[in-house]
Amino acid sequence: MSGNEAAVFDKVGKTYLLPRLGRPQPLEAVKGVSFGIRRGEILGLLGLNGAGKTTLMKLMAGLLAPTSGTVRVLGSDPRNPETRRRTGFLPELPYFYPRYRPAEALAYYASLSGMDRAAAAPAVASVMAKVGLAPHADKRISEFSKGMMQRLGLAQALVHSPDLVMLDEPASGLDPIAIHDMRVLISGLREEGRTVVLSSHSISELEKVADRVVMLSRGGVVSCVESSAWRGAEGGLETLFMEAVR
Amino acid sequence: MKAFFSPALRVASHSLRLHLRDRFFGLFLLFALLLIYSSLLVGVMAVYQERRALMDFGLALMELMGLAFCVYASATAVSSEVETKTIYLVFSRPVPRHSYLLGKMLAVFGAAAVLLAATAVMHSSLLLLRGHAPDGLYFAALGYSWLKLTLISSLVFAVSMFSTSALSSMVIGFILWMLGHFAPETVFMAAQAGGEGSPLEFLARLIPNFQLFNFKDALDVPGAAAPPALALAYAAAWWAGSYGFAWALLRRKEF
């Protein structure tokens, strides 16, 4: 792993054991995956449903352990507490306690990331302003729309100023304006020097925001393309993706 | 040590707030208020034994309300976070699983204490209304009830780590509660049926003995409950055992 890489997957495989009567049934979600993520870039993971995007995200977030191969994040094991302090994760369709107000939820997650109260209060206020939730600070989360929930999800991933941010389907279920706002927010993270990994099955979204896209199919990497490749290609990223997965 | 206790306390304080804000908690309190005040009728029927009837009925109701809440809260504490995926937001942070589990258990123990305290205020107000001031023994009985509730909570936590649903955890919890009140008898019958030292007797000995905590029985029959130090040590042994078992299962889980 070079110093320029925020994360590295080396021949990574992940097999789930599905509970079945008698003997658990293995399901190979990811196999032989190898690629690196450069510091400061926005890397997109593109694939059909079941291609292994979420599994790769969870492996990077340290929620899963690989069955084979190694995952290194910011130079060490993703389950290392110090690594977790420096990463932020937004799962698909995040849930928050409906009776909380957004600042309460963010203060809790900031504290779990190791921030004390004195540091958490300004960080919470700042991240709420950044994601556009400041005008809704007095609302309960139960009153939030899907778009506001997704903004809150992004805020919890950013509240502790992580170096690497992992966003699993951040535009899932959002309306066009919310998708646009989300895109602006993600591009802003790159300006701040953070590394962003986002998964999506929306080609147009990744096309607009990513610097590089790793294409996945049936648990393996089928192609890795730079933004210059799809900007110059006829049909854009969609054509490249279709060629890669067919 | 700080890396262990600091996240545990953060999880505990957050989870305690959630329990206290939970609408079920409010419903349990409301239901307890109705039941405790309805015990006035029992007191009237008892005529010359009103104090004893109000005391026994009230303490039993408080314990049953506490039991219902603790079994529900313990069975859903982790499973609801898995279902809603909020557990991802916790475990993607520097929160060790053993700290998370400890925090969740402490939160239920704390909520049980708050529930008992709140129902004790209701019950005490009824006793005072009838001219029967609660004494030191009354508060000792509350302490024993709390130990009992924490013990069953820790057991349900352990069960919830391998059971397939929160409902099955709750059912097993209630069965353990009932069996635990007949633990010595169960051991005796198991020894009779399977012979002394048999696997059946060994299994029966794995049932916690809740009779040790029946302090309200000791108000009438001295020595019916264990001395405080023994009761605390017994409960602590079960907390530790249940916690260790639950952690051994949680650390291997993938979400």
Side-chain angles (χ1 to χ4, degrees):
Chain A
M1 180 171 180
S2 77
N4 193 34
E5 284 175 326
V8 174
F9 286 83
D10 185 19
K11 299 181 189 125
V12 173
K14 178 66 194 174
T15 302
Y16 295 108
L17 289 176
L18 304 178
R20 290 284 181 273
L21 275 179
R23 200 166 53 171
Q25 187 185 330
L27 174 73
E28 200 173 29
V30 163
K31 52 194 171 195
V33 167
S34 298
F35 68 91
I37 301 166
R38 298 191 290 253
R39 284 181 195 267
E41 76 170 343
I42 297 180
L43 179 97
L45 296 177
L46 179 61
L48 305 173
N49 290 335
K53 305 184 294 291
T54 298
T55 299
L56 290 181
M57 285 280 180
K58 286 183 179 176
L59 286 164
M60 281 176 74
L63 294 167
L64 296 176
T67 313
S68 59
T70 53
V71 183
R72 306 285 287 172
V73 173
L74 301 171
S76 60
D77 190 300
R79 285 164 291 175
N80 180 327
E82 194 46 47
T83 308
R84 286 179 164 167
R85 224 180 288 278
R86 296 172 58 202
T87 57
F89 177 56
L90 167 66
E92 188 180 3
L93 302 175
Y95 174 88
F96 296 93
Y97 306 104
R99 288 172 174 237
Y100 267 18
R101 289 188 166 76
E104 280 179 282
L106 293 174
Y108 171 56
Y109 291 116
S111 76
L112 290 187
S113 291
M115 295 176 86
D116 58 32
R117 269 187 198 180
V124 167
S126 162
V127 80
M128 279 181 60
K130 181 189 275 185
V131 302
L133 281 179
H136 309 289
D138 293 331
K139 286 185 181 168
R140 286 189 191 277
I141 293 172
S142 56
E143 299 168 50
F144 275 22
S145 66
K146 208 174 217 178
M148 286 156 74
M149 287 288 270
Q150 205 72 348
R151 284 166 193 261
L152 183 58
L154 184 60
Q156 66 75 31
L158 297 175
V159 68
H160 52 294
S161 295
D163 297 324
L164 171 65
V165 187
M166 295 160 275
L167 311 174
D168 192 6
E169 304 279 1
S172 177
L174 299 186
D175 62 42
I177 292 177
I179 288 175
H180 171 265
D181 290 348
M182 185 62 75
R183 196 186 310 135
V184 171
L185 279 168
I186 292 169
S187 300
L189 296 176
R190 176 176 41 203
E191 312 307 316
E192 293 170 9
R194 301 186 207 283
T195 308
V196 181
V197 184
L198 72 150
S199 76
S200 179
H201 48 236
S202 165
I203 294 172
S204 62
E205 272 322 297
L206 289 180
E207 199 167 37
K208 284 170 189 153
V209 77
D211 298 314
R212 201 157 57 103
V213 166
V214 171
M215 298 176 187
L216 300 161
S217 180
R218 296 186 199 92
V221 173
V222 288
S223 181
C224 181
V225 290
E226 300 281 342
S227 60
S228 55
W230 69 74
R231 282 185 187 133
E234 194 180 331
L237 186 60
E238 185 175 343
T239 305
L240 297 177
F241 180 64
M242 291 305 171
E243 284 169 5
V245 298
R246 272 186 177 156
Chain B
M1 286 300 266
K2 195 185 168 198
F4 175 75
F5 283 109
S6 183
L9 292 177
R10 284 168 173 166
V11 171
S13 108
H14 163 76
S15 304
L16 178 59
R17 267 190 294 161
L18 291 183
H19 286 313
L20 302 185
R21 286 185 187 191
D22 192 329
R23 70 172 63 129
F24 279 108
F25 189 83
L27 283 175
F28 279 120
L29 280 180
L30 185 67
F31 199 52
L33 181 72
L34 290 173
L35 285 176
I36 286 170
Y37 269 79
S38 69
S39 68
L40 258 177
L41 297 172
V42 180
V44 169
M45 284 189 282
V47 196
Y48 299 113
Q49 292 285 324
E50 189 190 55
R51 178 186 160 81
R52 186 177 163 183
L54 288 180
M55 199 72 97
D56 281 356
F57 204 71
L59 284 169
L61 283 175
M62 288 155 68
E63 203 172 276
L64 281 177
M65 281 296 112
L67 168 71
F69 172 77
C70 286
V71 167
Y72 161 76
S74 307
T76 56
V78 177
S79 66
S80 66
E81 296 220 327
V82 173
E83 278 167 25
T84 58
K85 298 182 187 172
T86 42
I87 208 157
Y88 294 165
L89 305 183
V90 177
F91 286 162
S92 60
R93 293 184 150 77
V95 178
R97 293 186 179 198
H98 48 262
S99 302
Y100 170 79
L101 184 64
L102 179 66
K104 284 285 172 192
M105 286 174 82
L106 290 177
V108 174
F109 292 3
V114 173
L115 187 73
L116 272 181
T119 49
V121 169
M122 296 171 193
H123 188 222
S124 300
S125 71
L126 175 71
L127 291 172
L128 288 170
L129 195 73
R130 301 298 300 163
H132 312 296
D135 54 13
L137 293 175
Y138 175 80
F139 293 105
L142 284 179
Y144 275 80
S145 282
W146 181 77
L147 284 178
K148 224 168 154 179
L149 294 178
T150 56
L151 201 162
I152 191 70
S153 300
S154 59
L155 281 172
V156 175
F157 260 99
V159 170
S160 74
M161 292 298 140
F162 64 80
S163 88
T164 50
S165 70
L167 183 65
S168 59
S169 306
M170 286 191 256
V171 170
I172 295 171
F174 285 120
I175 291 172
L176 283 172
W177 175 267
M178 284 189 284
L179 283 177
H181 284 88
F182 300 99
E185 291 82 358
T186 312
V187 171
F188 174 76
M189 285 193 290
Q192 292 295 308
E196 293 225 358
S198 65
L200 191 63
E201 189 196 348
F202 174 75
L203 281 176
R205 286 192 184 279
L206 288 180
I207 299 167
N209 185 359
F210 285 120
Q211 286 185 10
L212 296 175
F213 304 94
N214 278 345
F215 190 79
K216 58 182 184 297
D217 294 349
L219 296 176
D220 300 316
V221 186
L230 177 64
L232 183 62
Y234 187 80
W238 276 98
W239 296 337
S242 304
Y243 171 78
F245 181 76
W247 176 61
L249 295 180
L250 182 65
R251 68 196 289 252
R252 296 175 57 186
K253 274 188 187 276
E254 291 197 322
F255 302 104

